[in-house]
Amino acid sequence: MFIQAITLFPEMFGSITEYGVTGRAFKQNLWQFAAINPRQFADNKLGYIDDRPFGGGPGMIMMAPPIQAAIDAAKAQSATPNHRVIYLSPQGAPLTHQKVLSLSQYDSLILLCGRYEGIDERVLMHSVDEEISIGDFVVSGGELPAMMLMDAVLRFVPDVLGDMASAEQDSFANGLLDCPHYTRPTEFQGMSVPDVLKSGNHALIAEWRLEQSLRRTLKRRPELLSERCLLPQEARLLAKIRLEQEQQA
């Protein structure tokens, strides 16, 4: 996968190309990255790419010509029609597990990182395929959201993770929150590892993990269950959990 970021701060992306799982995969050439600074397309010596908004108001707006030129340059570099231009924006659709899976199927992603009060709407209408939000809050620019999207997507690029099962068992991968995990020591501050995890009975362990996922999802994100078509085993375990809760009430 080839990912490009249109950003005023290319240096910020060193954190994802140099460190951790994504950094190791980048060094192994499992994915490629390039940053395009729209200032190089500015029509003035000082590199200004923002101006005051029509109609008045606070802040500045990123101008259409340099942003459009940067998108055109990114498309030319992608060398594939299987690309997606994404604007990281609080007005976008929420980033979900299913969206991450969908984006991982593209050969090239072009991530547009806004700053100031935003980007001239005409660029978004003309050249952006979709807007994506990472949450109902605002940050100073699109770089951090872009890196979060990149990290999530790259986990599904072949060989980026040492074991693909890690991604397949993450929270949301099957529509449920992940179960609790334990490692050595078996005793810590008076708390023990659940006996079932030490039993060696893989069927019991699998059922325990599913039950714990259901318990956690019911407690923290119940709307995920209301939207879910339960499998027979899930329905049985969920009925058991709810009966226990009623008895304890």
Side-chain angles (χ1 to χ4, degrees), residues 30 56 61-62 67 70 75 83 86-87 100 119 124 131 133 156 172 174-175 178 181 199 202 221-222 226 228 230 237:
L30 296 176
I61 306 297
M62 297 180 79
I67 301 300
K75 288 181 178 179
H83 61 247
I86 299 167
Y87 176 42
V100 168
I119 293 174
L124 307 183
E131 298 184 34
S133 168
F156 292 95
F172 306 110
N174 67 348
D178 200 6
H181 297 281
S199 69
H202 296 294
R221 295 290 303 276
S226 65
R228 184 181 181 83
L230 296 174
L237 291 172

Side-chain angles (χ1 to χ4, degrees), residues 192-203:
S192 300
V193 175
D195 289 337
V196 65
L197 297 179
K198 300 179 289 182
S199 69
N201 188 320
H202 296 294

